[in-house]
């Protein structure tokens, strides 16, 4: 099956721990995106990558880090510096910048 | 950064009614996308618009890319209960923000049978 896979669906972590969220796509897409969604809110852009080995900060990058070492993978690390990490995290990809983007199923992160 | 103002925030309608929602911005966008999200799931792409003035349909859904490139509209005709969900607009910027995909705040649609 082709698509965007985010794992796990639900993730629990203790406060102060870093946690890495996985996003893999087998669509041969160049561009990938990470968003955060809080209850009743829209999607806010954390980081985006136009091509492998390149990424840019979005609107709320503080407390997050990413890497893009492989075209198919764009992992997001939520660091202990992120003050309010509990949220629904969504990954998306598009064949190239400027084209339609498709989303994964999301990871719900709860920090206790 | 770019901001998208999406309205209305919520709509409560009867089955069979038509629905209209829109997004506006002070910035120009090169691409407009419309998504639907159901609880606990990722957004699903409904319509993609790539040219100013473009009007595109997908079944009962019709969307338009505003001629100024600063707005977009989504219409749903003859609504049915399964249209319930949150609808988001998204714009792809150019210039110094090339590649940045920004979302509106969403329109929550409730359809009463």
């Amino acid at each position: 099956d082709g698509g965007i896979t985010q794992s796990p669906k639900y993730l629990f972590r203790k406060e102060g721990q870093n946690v890495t969220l996985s996003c893999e796509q087998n669509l041969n897409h160049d561009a990938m995106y990470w968003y955060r969604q809080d209850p009743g809110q829209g999607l806010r852009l954390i980081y985006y990558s136009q091509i492998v080995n390149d990424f840019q900060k979005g609107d709320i990058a503080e407390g997050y880090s990413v890497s893009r070492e492989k075209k198919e993978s764009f992992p997001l690390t939520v660091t202990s510096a992120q003050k309010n990490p509990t949220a629904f995290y969504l990954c998306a990809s598009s064949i190239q910048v400027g084209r339609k983007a498709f989303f994964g199923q999301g990871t719900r992160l709860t920090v206790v | 950064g770019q901001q998208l103002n999406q309205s209305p925030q919520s709509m409560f309608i009867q089955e069979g009614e038509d629905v209209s929602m829109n997004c506006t911005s002070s910035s120009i966008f090169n691409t407009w996308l419309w998504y639907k999200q159901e609880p606990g799931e990722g957004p699903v792409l409904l319509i993609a618009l790539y040219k100013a003035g473009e009007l595109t349909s997908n079944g009962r859904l019709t969307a338009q890319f505003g001629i100024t490139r600063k707005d977009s509209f989504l219409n749903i005709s003859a609504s049915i209960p399964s249209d319930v969900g949150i609808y988001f607009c998204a714009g792809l910027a150019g210039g110094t923000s090339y590649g940045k995909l920004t979302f509106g705040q969403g329109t929550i649609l409730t359809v009463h049978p």
Side-chain angles (χ1 to χ4, degrees):
Chain A
D1 268 356
I4 303 165
T5 302
Q6 291 187 244
S7 60
K9 179 78 170 171
Y10 299 95
L11 191 55
F12 294 87
R13 279 294 183 271
K14 290 186 178 179
E15 193 173 344
Q17 290 181 337
N18 291 357
V19 58
T20 298
L21 280 60
S22 168
C23 179
E24 303 278 332
Q25 52 95 2
N26 60 4
L27 302 168
N28 200 32
H29 283 179
D30 280 331
M32 297 187 74
Y33 307 82
W34 272 107
Y35 292 87
R36 169 184 173 134
Q37 187 176 31
D38 293 288
Q41 302 293 316
L43 282 68
R44 292 185 290 166
L45 182 63
I46 305 172
Y47 270 97
Y48 62 107
S49 169
Q50 298 183 35
I51 201 167
V52 67
N53 290 323
D54 179 71
F55 50 84
Q56 287 83 37
K57 291 182 179 179
D59 297 317
I60 55 164
E62 185 174 351
Y64 300 97
S65 66
V66 293
S67 63
R68 187 82 188 279
E69 297 175 1
K70 297 187 295 183
K71 188 175 188 178
E72 60 269 24
S73 179
F74 191 39
L76 173 74
T77 298
V78 184
T79 75
S80 56
Q82 168 50 234
K83 297 190 187 311
N84 187 16
T86 294
F88 189 43
Y89 290 89
L90 288 156
C91 176
S93 71
S94 63
I95 191 162
Q96 61 182 225
V97 168
R99 307 304 291 180
K100 52 193 175 185
F102 299 93
F103 280 83
Q105 290 294 88
T107 293
R108 187 166 300 280
L109 172 65
T110 302
V111 176
V112 296
Chain B
Q2 291 89 356
Q3 286 193 353
L4 294 183
N5 300 308
Q6 187 171 347
S7 65
Q9 284 189 313
S10 61
M11 301 183 75
F12 299 84
I13 63 170
Q14 291 292 127
E15 183 176 0
E17 290 184 2
D18 296 343
V19 172
S20 291
M21 59 191 78
N22 70 82
C23 271
T24 61
S25 175
S26 57
S27 304
I28 288 174
F29 289 96
N30 295 330
T31 298
W32 284 95
L33 307 171
W34 284 93
Y35 291 86
K36 179 187 177 185
Q37 186 181 32
E38 298 190 15
E41 302 294 327
V44 174
L45 182 68
L46 299 173
I47 292 180
L49 302 159
Y50 299 111
K51 295 180 186 177
E54 181 180 355
L55 185 71
T56 298
S57 293
N58 178 9
R60 294 179 294 105
L61 277 62
T62 301
Q64 184 161 26
F65 191 142
I67 198 73
T68 65
R69 295 169 62 195
K70 294 182 178 181
D71 58 6
S72 180
F73 304 86
L74 175 70
N75 296 320
I76 305 173
S77 64
S79 58
I80 59 178
S82 62
D83 289 334
V84 165
I86 306 175
Y87 291 79
F88 290 101
C89 63
L92 271 159
T96 56
S97 296
Y98 182 67
K100 187 177 178 184
L101 180 58
T102 303
F103 278 74
Q105 290 298 97
T107 295
I108 301 171
L109 179 63
T110 303
V111 180
H112 295 288

